Amino acid sequence: MKLIKLTAISAAVLASSAALAAEPVIVVDDNDAVVYEAEPVAVAYEAEPASYAYDADAGVVSNTTGAIVGGTKGFFSKVVNPASVSAEVGTLGYGANIGWSLNEKTELQAGWAGGDVADLFGGDFDVDDVNYDVDSDFSNPYLGVQLRPAGNWFTMGAGIIVPDNDFDVRANAEGPNFRIDNVDYNAAETGTLSGTMEHRNKLAPYATIGFRPNITNNFGLFGEIGAAYMGQTDATVRSSNPNGPVTATTVNGTTVVTGDDVAQAAEQELEDKDWLEWMPIVKLGATYRF
């Protein structure tokens, strides 16, 4: 009877807590104490099979902002840090340009050339039988591309000029007369014939070929020849005696006109001439590369 009682008590204690399974159990019955060593309970858990594979990148938004900002920084770095600066002189004037290398064979250029360069054209020009002295005021901002097609010193260029070129002209009499369109106008009666000219094109395309040898790692020289299409010419000519009578002589005899009539004839002849419609480009310069 005592054995059955002890067995029942032990089973109840063991079943009440899994945590006590590894500890000795002491059962007291009346004055007798019996120690029972509990056997450890082995519990097996079977892992459920995984129903999906973990993707560390799932749901993650790529940092495209960093890529955009990085690319923008690279672009502005190129703009702020040009590849070269150059000084030039030529038929477009005295000026300078800045270059940005797009790759080993291509360079983008932005520059300006201007000033009074009439002396480069000789300081005068002829329109049929009338010689004109000329003073100029040039302003030629330009944007273009320089190519090295063979990867050496030979270059080809093309771009756009935004011309703002003014010419002041003054007619020189041939002997006693201004001979305009086969009519001889008395120069003393006409007075001074002077005026201005400008080209009509607001954008002038240009093309050049040239050479750009390097003298040192940083310094180089360049030369270019080409042309820019400036368009037709607008002229304004005035007589210092616009309302005075002027004797005009032709093969059919003589007639009387006004000084303003002579100025208009000279103006028309200048526009028909289209002087420098194709502006020659000849320039020399030096370059410093960073």
Side-chain angles (χ1 to χ4, degrees), residues 6-233:
L6 291 173
T7 302
I9 292 171
S10 300
V13 172
L14 291 172
S16 65
S17 175
L20 298 178
E23 299 293 331
V25 178
I26 302 175
V27 180
V28 179
D29 180 33
D30 296 335
N31 295 325
D32 295 328
V34 180
V35 178
Y36 296 90
E37 186 75 26
E39 292 294 331
V41 179
V43 180
Y45 295 92
E46 182 178 354
E48 292 292 330
S51 60
Y52 66 93
Y54 175 69
D55 184 358
D57 295 328
V60 177
V61 178
S62 299
N63 186 14
T64 54
T65 302
I68 294 173
V69 171
T72 304
K73 286 182 178 179
F75 171 77
F76 281 106
S77 176
K78 285 182 175 292
V79 172
V80 175
N81 300 288
S84 65
V85 293
S86 302
E88 65 182 57
V89 59
T91 53
L92 293 177
Y94 309 91
N97 67 63
I98 302 174
W100 294 270
S101 292
L102 303 182
N103 53 52
E104 292 181 355
K105 295 184 178 181
T106 308
E107 184 173 274
L108 179 66
Q109 289 185 339
W112 177 90
D116 184 358
V117 294
D119 289 342
L120 295 176
F121 300 100
D124 65 343
F125 66 96
D126 293 326
V127 179
D128 292 339
D129 297 314
V130 180
N131 177 263
Y132 288 87
D133 291 329
V134 57
D135 290 321
S136 63
D137 183 14
F138 277 16
S139 178
N140 290 298
Y142 63 88
L143 181 65
V145 176
Q146 280 287 332
L147 303 175
R148 295 176 182 264
N152 56 17
W153 55 265
F154 175 73
T155 63
M156 299 176 65
I160 292 292
I161 300 172
V162 186
D164 184 14
N165 301 325
D166 296 323
F167 302 91
D168 293 328
V169 296
R170 179 187 174 105
N172 296 312
E174 178 106 14
N177 299 316
F178 291 112
R179 187 173 182 81
I180 301 172
D181 197 19
N182 295 320
V183 179
D184 291 321
Y185 299 97
N186 186 284
E189 296 172 348
T190 301
T192 301
L193 288 178
S194 61
T196 61
M197 293 191 310
E198 63 179 0
H199 292 102
R200 296 177 185 175
N201 281 7
K202 302 305 179 185
L203 294 176
Y206 74 87
T208 63
I209 59 173
F211 64 94
R212 289 179 175 264
N214 293 325
I215 306 303
T216 68
N217 288 336
N218 298 107
F219 286 97
L221 301 175
F222 69 88
E224 294 178 40
I225 59 172
Y229 182 67
M230 296 292 184
Q232 294 179 320
T233 304

Side-chain angles (χ1 to χ4, degrees), residues 213-261:
N214 293 325
I215 306 303
T216 68
N217 288 336
N218 298 107
F219 286 97
L221 301 175
F222 69 88
E224 294 178 40
I225 59 172
Y229 182 67
M230 296 292 184
Q232 294 179 320
T233 304
D234 287 328
T236 300
V237 178
R238 298 170 299 275
S239 167
S240 61
N241 185 27
N243 299 316
V246 177
T247 303
T249 303
T250 67
V251 294
N252 297 321
T254 62
T255 186
V256 177
V257 298
T258 65
D260 190 55
D261 292 331

